[in-house]
């Protein structure tokens, strides 16, 4: 993998080191900033930053201000990292153009998985044309899914939904997030349409349908059983 640059902005050096160590292990180049003003200096200096991991509560210039400034000139993906988890904060983040919102404390492995999922969606990382997850084989170019020797006949949205699940394996996905990414932001229907598609998808996948776990009150998670 070419060295993809990620800017980590947090006033806690311990938190920056934790994120840097995990991302560094995956081959990423990590740039660090301890406050918002320093973050903007680095962001403007390094034109090839592929993703920003941004804390909300910081001195000099907080995460919201940094996000606003970045969005004035760039669509670089932003993951907002914060100890606050109130819904209104999340909504404010999404309105400002935040791509992901992760509350502290968090699992570094989940953070890495989300980083990779976002970079695939933004085409920084090559999205594999053929994926295999627990015996489910997906050929994106041919729009084909096979389980074992048999080909599964999926509708366009069922196929897109399965691809999104596999690309975000192990990550809890809310219905709203699935709607935004599979049905896109211009869809104004009921989020429960996802439940209908998931039910059909599970049925068509047979026993492999058990990989799609229901998270009650939230959404779903695709997890391959060992």
């Amino acid at each position: 993998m070419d060295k993809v640059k990620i800017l980590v902005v947090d006033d806690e050096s311990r938190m920056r080191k934790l994120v840097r160590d995990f991302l560094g292990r995956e081959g990423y180049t990590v740039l660090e900033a301890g406050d918002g003003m320093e973050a903007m200096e680095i962001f403007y200096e390094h034109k090839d930053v592929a993703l920003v991991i941004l804390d909300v509560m910081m001195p000099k210039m907080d995460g919201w201000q940094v996000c606003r400034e970045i969005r004035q000139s760039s669509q670089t993906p932003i993951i907002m990292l914060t100890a606050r988890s109130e819904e209104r904060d999340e909504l404010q983040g999404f309105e400002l153009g935040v791509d992901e919102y992760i509350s502290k404390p968090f699992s570094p492995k989940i953070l890495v998985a989300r980083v990779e999922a976002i970079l695939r969606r933004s085409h920084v990382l090559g999205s594999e044309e053929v994926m295999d997850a627990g015996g489910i084989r997906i050929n994106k170019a041919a729009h084909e899914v096979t389980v074992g020797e048999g080909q599964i006949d999926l509708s366009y949205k069922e196929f897109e939904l399965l691809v999104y699940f596999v690309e975000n394996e192990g990550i809890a996905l809310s219905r709203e997030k699935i709607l935004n990414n599979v049905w896109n932001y211009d869809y104004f229907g009921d989020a429960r349409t996802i439940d209908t598609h998931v039910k059909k998808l599970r049925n068509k996948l047979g026993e492999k349908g058990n990989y799609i776990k229901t998270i009650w009150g939230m959404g779903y998670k695709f997890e391959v059983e060992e």
Side-chain angles (χ1 to χ4, degrees), residues 14-221:
R14 181 181 56 82
M15 182 61 68
R16 293 199 308 271
K17 182 180 185 305
L18 174 70
V19 175
R20 183 185 70 225
D21 288 350
F22 272 83
L23 290 175
R25 249 177 256 164
E26 299 300 319
Y28 297 104
T29 295
V30 178
L31 307 173
E32 296 180 52
D35 62 63
M37 291 180 70
E38 185 185 0
M40 292 314 307
E41 288 172 11
I42 293 172
F43 185 78
Y44 289 133
E45 181 185 346
H46 295 266
K47 303 294 186 186
D48 56 347
V49 168
L51 183 141
V52 179
I53 297 175
L54 182 60
D55 187 39
V56 171
M57 306 299 288
M58 289 184 298
K60 297 184 183 178
M61 185 178 183
D62 68 16
W64 303 128
Q65 290 173 284
V66 173
C67 183
R68 284 190 194 96
E69 188 158 336
I70 288 175
R71 282 292 170 261
Q72 285 177 6
S73 61
S74 171
Q75 290 304 309
T76 299
I78 297 172
I79 295 179
M80 198 68 101
L81 213 58
T82 177
R84 301 162 72 185
S85 59
E86 293 183 22
E87 188 179 63
R88 68 171 180 269
D89 290 333
E90 291 201 26
L91 291 173
Q92 180 178 351
F94 289 132
E95 284 168 8
L96 290 174
V98 173
D99 295 84
E100 286 277 1
Y101 198 98
I102 301 178
S103 299
K104 299 175 183 176
F106 58 88
S107 157
K109 288 183 179 178
I110 291 295
L111 176 63
V112 169
R114 292 194 178 189
V115 164
E116 291 182 344
I118 287 175
L119 291 177
R120 277 197 300 269
R121 290 206 301 271
S122 58
H123 306 295
V124 173
L125 296 183
S127 183
E128 300 168 60
E129 287 304 307
V130 178
M131 300 183 292
D132 194 309
I136 301 172
R137 186 174 175 81
I138 303 170
N139 186 323
K140 292 172 70 174
H143 243 250
E144 291 177 355
V145 176
T146 54
V147 174
E149 298 300 314
Q151 189 169 317
I152 309 296
D153 185 25
L154 298 181
S155 70
Y156 180 78
K157 279 302 175 196
E158 289 163 358
F159 182 87
E160 294 289 301
L161 182 59
L162 179 60
V163 168
Y164 185 63
F165 277 142
V166 171
E167 287 184 341
N168 291 276
E169 183 178 348
I171 298 172
L173 302 166
S174 69
R175 288 180 176 85
E176 288 71 24
K177 188 178 291 293
I178 295 168
L179 266 184
N180 289 340
N181 286 279
V182 179
W183 275 262
N184 299 318
Y185 289 91
D186 56 0
Y187 180 83
F188 294 105
D190 188 347
R192 297 288 162 176
T193 189
I194 293 167
D195 299 340
T196 303
H197 280 79
V198 167
K199 186 177 180 182
K200 289 179 181 176
L201 184 57
R202 278 177 174 152
N203 288 337
K204 290 182 179 182
L205 292 172
E207 63 180 24
K208 305 291 186 187
N210 294 329
Y211 294 164
I212 304 171
K213 317 287 187 190
T214 298
I215 302 174
W216 297 110
M218 181 198 173
Y220 298 95
K221 178 165 66 172

